[in-house]
Amino acid sequence: MAILFRDVYLLDGTMERARRADLLVEGERIKKIAAPDSLSGEKCEVMDGKGETLLMPGFFNAHCHAAMTLLRGLGEERPLMEWLEQKIWPLEEHLTDDVVYAGAVQAMCEMAMCGVTGFTDMYYHMDQVARAVNELGMRCSVSVGVVRDPARFRQTLYRDFAEMRGPRIINSIDPHAPYTVPFEFVCECAAEAKRKNLPLQTHFLEAEWERGYLSDTLKMTPVEYLEKTGLAAVPRLVLAHGVQFREDELDYLAAHDNITVAHCPASNLKLGSGVAPVPEMLKRGVHVALGTDGAASNNRLDLWDEMRLASLIHKGVGRDPLAVSSRQLIDCATYQGARAFGYEKVGRLAEGWAADLTAVDLTALHYLGADEDNMSSYVVYAGSSGDVRHVLCGGGWLVKDRVFAPRAEKEIRAGSSAQRAWLLAARA
C-alpha cells in the first residue's frame, strides 16, 4: 500500500531551508512531492502531519560494531589499547552466532528508534548480522572483518558472500587497522576490494600513537600508507575516525572522491583519542559521514547525539561559532554515510529516491518557534532522538508511533539478556 505524508515539513542536507509539502511513497521509493494538502489520499495509508511533523532522510550510521551492544559497560574509562587488549578482545574470543545475532538485533532496534535506517557493521559472525538485517528490513554494509591473525580470515576474504546477501545489503571488506593487520594482508584486502568492486573500511589514525606506529614501525606517512597498500585506489574507502590527520594531508583526501572519513565524536572523546579536524575537512571538500562506533565505546547508538556533539566540539575547539553548520551535519548524518558505501539514491528527499524516512514530532515544547528558515538548527541543537515518531526504510515501517515494528522490544531484550549472561559466564 502507498503511504501519503500529508502537510509535513521536508528537510535534507541539500536544503538551505525546510519546505512544507505532501510526500507520497509507493513501493520502495518516493513517488511524488507536491504542495501541502494537494495529493489525494485515496488508496493510501495517510499520515497527516498537520504542519506539525518534519520528514528527514533516514540517518546512516557510518561506523558501527552492532553486536557490541552486549559488551556495553565493560571495560569503562580506559585508553584505547588497554581497553581492547584487556577487556574487549578477550571477550570477543567467545563470540558465537547466537551472541552476535542477538546483539545485532538489539542494535538495530536501538538505532531505528533513533531514526537510523542504514548502518555499516564491522565485526564477526557477519552472516548473523545479514540474517538480522534481512529479517528486520534495514540497510547495512555487512563486512568481512579482518583483525590480528590473517590466516584466520584469508579463506573468509576470498569466499563467496552468498550467506551475507540481501536486497538492502552491500558487502564490504574491513581490515581492522594498520596496527592489527599485517601490511601485506592489507594490500591483499585492497586488491580484493578492487577485484570485486566492494567498499573497504578500516580504522585509521584514531589515536595519536598511531602516527608513531606508521612512521617508526612501517616507515611511512599516513598518505604513503594509503598509497602503498592500494587502499586509496579501492572503489569506496571509509576511514573510521581520522582523528590525527594533519592539515597538510587533507588536500590529498579531498582529491579522492572515493574516500570518506567516518567521524565518531562521542567515541573519540570517551576514549581520549582527541578531536578530528572536521571543519578543515569540510572546507577542503573531504567527504565526512557520522558514526557512533560500538556501544562498548560510545555507549549510545544515537546519531542525534553525534550531530549535536560534532557541532559543539568543533565550534568550541576552534573558537568559531561558524565552524560546522547544522545543514552540513544533517548531510553527514544521512546522505554521506549511504553514499560512502555505495547506496545510490539514498539520503535525500527527492522523487525517485529511496523512501528511507524519519518523521519527527514538532509538537514538543523545544520546537516552539521552528520554521522553514531555522529548522536545521532546531534539529541539531534542540532536537533529540526522543522526537522520532515514525521511521521507514525502503517504504516499510521500522518504527510506527514510536514502536519498533518488526519485533517486540520485550522479545529483543530477553534474547539479548540471555546471550550477554552466557558471554560473561564463558569469559569467567
Side-chain angles (χ1 to χ4, degrees), residues 22-33:
D22 287 355
L23 184 146
L24 177 65
V25 172
E26 273 191 15
E28 296 192 1
R29 298 281 161 183
I30 298 171
K31 175 70 173 179
K32 184 75 173 176
I33 297 175

Side-chain angles (χ1 to χ4, degrees), residues 9 42 97 99 110 124 137 142 170 187 200 235 292 295 315 323 404 408:
Y9 286 97
E42 186 178 355
D97 282 356
V99 169
E110 290 184 34
Y124 308 103
V142 176
I170 288 177
C187 296
L200 186 149
T292 61
K315 293 177 192 298
F404 187 59

